[in-house]
Amino acid sequence: MLQIFDFFAPCPRGLEVVLEKELEALAAKKIHVTDGGVAFSGPWTLMYKANLHSRVASRILWKLVEKPYRSEDDIFRLARDTEWADIFAVENTIKVSVTAVRSPVRSTNFVALKVKDGICDRFRLKCGNRPSVDTEAPDMRINVYLSEKNVTLYLDTSGEPLFKRGYRVETGDAPLRENLAAGILSLSGWTPDQAFYDPMCGSGTFLVEAAMIARRVAPGMDRQFAFQKMRMYDKSFWQNILTEAKAQELSAAPNIIMGSDVSSTVLVHAKANIEAAGMQDSIQLKQLNVLDAKPPAESGVWVCNPPYGARMDEKEHLASLYPQWATLLKQRFAGWNTYFLTADLDMPKHMRLKASKRTVLFNGPLECRLFEYKMIAGGNRDKPKEE
Ligand SMILES: C[S@@+](CC[C@H](N)C(=O)[O-])C[C@H]1O[C@@H](n2cnc3c(N)ncnc32)[C@H](O)[C@@H]1O
């Protein structure tokens, strides 16, 4: 009988529903959405597919064991009683990290130390040797999750987080994480048959993610994963999954994907990233002030992440620009659905345009909104109302 495993995929907060849909499409079972991630179950090969195809998950964690605990000693025993040597070789380096929510433990560092001791004791018993710790680039990452009453041990099957697709060679001004960008594209409802435009593209994250979606390139196509070092790794099965994914790829995007930015320096970064992703034939770049932007098609989807003005003088400058952006949208972008990701929650007030939707998202620890403005073509009747 096919063995079923439990997994948990963390993701940027606000994108859980997007991840849920991705996992449903991969035929995951027992899907359960929580704050900051999605639990799911399925065969071992589902884990390969989730790592390769999820555009939104940050990692795919394999749930090894969950038990009630009272003290650090209980947690140590749980680690010591887990058969680690059946999962990976003693030559693999390890790193233990701990997340605690309402846990009574005094120090998460101490818990990490106890779990590391438990793993090493188990290995010594089994093979007379222990794995080394590597906090920089470990082969195996063990995640300990402590709730008020339960401890769960996870093994990270991804290794480097999944937003590291392998194409980012240059960063611009505050680049977005790739999985957050991909999730926002999904929330915008953009589909590859529609034109896409990011008029403040920075290092080009939305553009590359859009091009990869349009050309059906799996986000994990060009990287390695921790599961490739696990004992249960089946190389030929993995090769089959990669071959299948490769066969889906398209050589061109069905519609225009365009980016512009006022800064020539960030455009150099964008170009380098786009080329590293192999998407240069699918993306057009221009140096342009957003106020001079012209729609590259009659209708389409505009997604951008403007500067949000961390300093007071920047905030004031932005506040003076927002009404001009609103005028630009009304005058030139009728027929376009536009989305702005910003930490400046006052943006609609200054734009004097009422957003038709506001989605709460977190860019790392920073609380943001994705503001939606649907610029209806034709008469004034359906245009966004003044804020
Ligand atoms: C927060 S960054 C965008 C980061 C981008 N999403 C990425 O992932 O790299 C904001 C960008 O807006 C650009 N920008 C600022 N003012 C602009 C203007 N008036 N016209 C066009 N671009 C502008 C900046 O040069 C910067 O690259």
Side-chain angles (χ1 to χ4, degrees):
M1 216 177 71
L2 194 63
Q3 204 182 345
I4 298 299
F5 298 84
D6 293 327
F7 302 103
F8 183 77
C11 67
R13 279 195 287 160
L15 293 180
E16 296 87 346
V17 283
V18 179
L19 178 54
E20 180 187 21
K21 279 199 208 115
E22 284 189 339
L23 292 167
E24 274 169 6
L26 294 173
K29 298 283 181 286
K30 289 205 271 171
I31 296 177
H32 178 70
V33 176
T34 60
D35 206 13
V38 180
F40 62 102
S41 300
W44 186 245
T45 49
L46 171 66
M47 177 273 285
Y48 290 175
K49 290 180 186 169
N51 271 298
L52 178 64
H53 290 290
S54 174
R55 298 187 191 274
V56 170
S58 303
R59 305 174 172 283
I60 307 296
L61 306 176
W62 169 21
K63 182 173 166 183
L64 301 176
V65 59
E66 178 177 2
K67 279 255 171 88
Y69 74 102
R70 288 224 179 124
S71 65
E72 286 85 348
D73 281 343
D74 291 341
I75 302 169
F76 165 77
R77 275 190 290 274
L78 190 64
R80 191 201 52 195
D81 294 347
T82 300
E83 211 46 273
W84 300 98
D86 288 351
I87 303 174
F88 58 88
V90 70
E91 290 77 24
N92 288 137
T93 55
I94 61 167
K95 178 183 176 183
V96 178
S97 53
V98 179
T99 309
V101 178
R102 288 190 297 275
S103 162
V105 299
R106 259 170 282 151
S107 156
T108 52
N109 283 344
F110 184 60
V111 171
L113 204 66
K114 293 297 256 183
V115 170
K116 187 266 295 169
D117 287 348
I119 297 170
C120 291
D121 282 9
R122 191 77 203 175
F123 265 105
R124 265 198 221 94
L125 265 174
K126 185 95 178 189
C127 54
N129 205 351
R130 54 154 281 186
S132 307
V133 170
D134 181 346
T135 52
E136 294 291 311
D139 298 320
M140 297 296 151
R141 293 168 162 87
I142 295 95
N143 289 23
V144 184
Y145 180 78
L146 300 173
S147 66
E148 194 181 347
K149 298 207 168 107
N150 281 3
V151 48
T152 312
L153 300 183
Y154 292 101
L155 189 61
D156 182 346
T157 67
S158 306
E160 285 283 296
L162 295 178
F163 57 79
K164 296 199 176 172
R165 320 279 205 224
Y167 66 73
R168 182 165 277 168
V169 285
E170 298 282 356
T171 58
D173 175 12
L176 282 182
R177 282 193 173 165
E178 294 80 341
N179 58 342
L180 178 57
I184 289 170
L185 293 179
S186 174
L187 291 176
S188 78
W190 169 76
T191 50
D193 54 328
Q194 294 175 291
F196 179 82
Y197 183 32
D198 177 355
M200 291 181 241
C201 69
S203 63
T205 320
F206 282 127
L207 302 174
V208 175
E209 291 297 317
M212 285 172 74
I213 292 169
R215 290 176 53 177
R216 299 186 195 155
V217 175
M221 209 61 185
D222 278 332
R223 50 162 285 163
Q224 299 290 305
F225 299 91
F227 67 73
Q228 291 174 278
K229 291 182 178 162
M230 292 179 189
R231 293 216 191 269
M232 279 167 67
Y233 173 52
D234 181 336
K235 192 173 174 188
S236 69
F237 211 99
W238 173 235
Q239 284 307 327
N240 288 344
I241 289 176
L242 285 179
T243 309
E244 241 172 56
K246 200 86 198 149
Q248 301 289 319
E249 292 184 1
L250 302 177
S251 55
N255 208 328
I256 190 165
I257 297 173
M258 197 175 116
S260 56
D261 200 288
V262 73
S263 155
S264 57
T265 319
V266 301
L267 285 172
V268 171
H269 297 157
K271 192 163 178 281
N273 292 335
I274 290 166
E275 278 171 9
M279 293 294 147
Q280 59 277 15
D281 296 339
S282 304
I283 298 172
Q284 297 179 22
L285 278 182
K286 265 191 196 157
Q287 189 181 355
L288 206 62
N289 189 311
V290 63
L291 295 175
D292 299 323
K294 291 193 186 80
E298 222 170 79
S299 65
V301 178
W302 148 323
V303 180
C304 72
N305 161 219
Y308 61 84
R311 292 197 324 259
M312 208 51 206
D313 56 332
E314 290 169 344
K315 262 198 184 341
E316 281 164 14
H317 177 60
L318 272 173
S320 71
L321 286 177
Y322 289 146
Q324 301 179 51
W325 296 0
T327 306
L328 170 81
L329 293 186
K330 286 190 260 187
Q331 289 183 344
R332 297 207 198 130
F333 282 85
W336 281 69
N337 292 344
T338 68
Y339 295 82
F340 296 76
L341 177 78
T342 179
D344 184 353
L345 309 190
D346 287 335
M347 194 187 104
K349 190 176 84 192
H350 293 301
M351 283 197 30
R352 293 189 217 110
L353 272 188
K354 196 170 167 58
S356 45
K357 212 192 240 172
R358 304 156 182 249
T359 309
V360 179
L361 289 171
F362 285 81
N363 183 6
L366 203 63
E367 184 178 335
C368 295
R369 294 287 180 280
L370 181 67
F371 292 117
E372 173 190 84
Y373 295 100
K374 289 193 166 176
M375 307 311 295
I376 313 285
N380 285 327
R381 197 165 40 93
D382 296 327
K383 286 191 174 164
K385 295 186 180 56
E386 303 236 322
E387 175 88 0

